[in-house]
Amino acid sequence: MAETRIVVVGAGVSGLTTALLLSRNANYKITVAAKHMPGDYDIEYASPWAGANYLPISVEGTDLAEWESNTWTELERLARLHPEAGIHFQDAALFNRTKHLEGGNASALVAPEVSDPWYQKIVPNFKKVPKNHLPPGYDSGNTFTSVCINTAIYLPWLTSRCLEAGVIFKRAIFNHISEASNAHHSGKKADLVVNCTGLLAGKLGGVEDKNMIPARGQTVLVMNKGDGLMYSTSGTDDGDEEVCYTMGRAAGGGTLLGGCYQKGNWDSQPDPNLAVRIMKRAIGICPSLTNGKGIEHLNIIRHGVGLRPVRIGGTRVEKEKINDVWVVHNYGHGGYGYQSSYGCSQAVVKLVEEVLKVRAKL
Ligand code: FAD
């Protein structure tokens, strides 16, 4: 059977996961070409800034729910069998206030059906928190076993698995998506291109998706350890764009405190006032971080800012012919790029097969 040459544009979690799943077909010869690679920290590169945890935000019956559900299977397997991937199990505690859930100003990072979510069928140990165990001021809550991904380990791990499978990596910047078909490491034209360019899909020639907007996320990474739970809340008292979460990263990765969800904000610099509010909210929900003391007892490793690649209308996983080049899109994963990564990439693999069938008939 003739070889198929594929160029994946983008080396964030979407591009790397897609390249990894495609590389399971020995017939596919894959180049990953990107401006940013694992190890880089840049405002145009969302993946390193993520928490990252598994906290589905989809509505049952949607494509996203299917992608998130399929991703749990793989993240759970990696947490169980592959400690070197930097993913570990961690119980999540999600606390809600009725005023957020019914007031239309709930955090964009929790599912609309947060009190009774579809994912209780797939994650282990899903329980409702008894009223007398809720922190003061909260009306309901759930706990379940989730995973937390140390992105500083996981992105290089994905890269290594791709390299092991023969994927070739190279730096490149494309002005138009069709240029990527000339970037295959063989020097020959690629049979198809996979577009995993995240937020920059809004600016890339041939794509220029006007539905792409950033949702700015600011974080504080600290050395302090909490009580072993990952906390999230349905909202905060500091405005609709602010959110509250804590995540203990695997393998000495520290505890990530967040955050905010500021739509349309491209600012790459941490706001010091917001950082103070993030830390105050974090020790409010998880006092064990500082043994009940103030934020001056947090040992800060780094302040961070990342832009979630939000697509109005949802993630685009679709095939399209652009200037005679077949392109399969996989971008616009907002605040759920890790927790939907395997599901989306599996869908891409199917679309690639469809494109190749169409090409074979010509
Ligand atoms: P990116 O990581 O942005 O990668 C895009 C790639 O495309 C880069 O390699 C870039 O260089 C390349 N590229 C773009 N344009 C071009 C071009 N023209 N030429 C060449 N290369 C190009 N998700 C979760 O699932 N769970 C979480 O807990 C979570 N927490 C988050 C917390 C924060 C603070 C933030 C910011 C995000 C969080 N996310 C989380 C969301 C997640 O990080 C993103 O959805 C995900 O990283 C998007 O990955 P991507 O590969 O699509 O895009």
Side-chain angles (χ1 to χ4, degrees), residues 325-342:
V325 175
W326 272 107
V327 176
V328 176
H329 300 286
N330 182 17
Y331 66 84
H333 301 83
Y336 46 83
Y338 284 84
Q339 66 199 34
S340 62
S341 55
Y342 284 91

Side-chain angles (χ1 to χ4, degrees), residues 9-15 33-36 44-47 49-53 172-174 196-198 200 204 217 219 245 247 306-309 333-339:
V9 183
V13 67
S14 308
K35 182 173 177 189
H36 303 100
E44 292 181 341
Y45 187 31
S47 294
W49 301 109
N53 72 359
I173 300 176
F174 303 108
C196 302
T197 52
L200 295 187
L204 179 61
T219 57
Y245 59 84
M247 299 179 199
L307 302 180
R308 300 176 183 91
H333 301 83
Y336 46 83
Y338 284 84
Q339 66 199 34

Side-chain angles (χ1 to χ4, degrees), residues 49-51 217-226 229 231 243-249 253-260 274-286 289-290 295 297-305 308:
W49 301 109
Q218 182 170 324
T219 57
V220 185
L221 184 66
V222 297
M223 288 189 67
N224 307 56
K225 276 189 164 183
L229 286 176
Y231 289 93
V243 297
C244 174
Y245 59 84
T246 71
M247 299 179 199
R249 285 175 157 185
T255 304
L256 194 79
L257 316 178
C260 62
L274 174 54
V276 169
R277 292 197 294 278
I278 289 172
M279 292 187 280
K280 282 193 170 169
R281 290 193 295 255
I283 64 166
I285 197 81
C286 182
L289 278 167
T290 51
I295 59 168
H297 292 272
L298 288 170
N299 198 340
I300 298 170
I301 302 169
R302 172 171 74 225
H303 294 272
V305 177
R308 300 176 183 91

Side-chain angles (χ1 to χ4, degrees), residues 131-195:
K131 288 251 181 232
N132 58 343
H133 287 144
L134 289 168
Y138 289 91
D139 304 307
S140 64
N142 309 323
T143 55
F144 63 93
T145 300
S146 178
V147 292
C148 184
I149 303 167
N150 183 343
T151 58
I153 295 179
Y154 183 59
L155 295 171
W157 181 83
L158 282 174
T159 309
S160 293
R161 295 289 76 74
C162 288
L163 289 167
E164 197 175 45
V167 175
I168 304 293
F169 283 78
K170 65 194 252 189
R171 297 266 181 178
I173 300 176
F174 303 108
N175 293 316
H176 195 283
I177 188 68
S178 60
E179 289 169 15
S181 65
N182 298 318
H184 195 263
H185 60 271
S186 63
K188 297 179 188 157
K189 198 165 175 66
D191 296 291
L192 64 92
V193 168
V194 184
N195 173 22

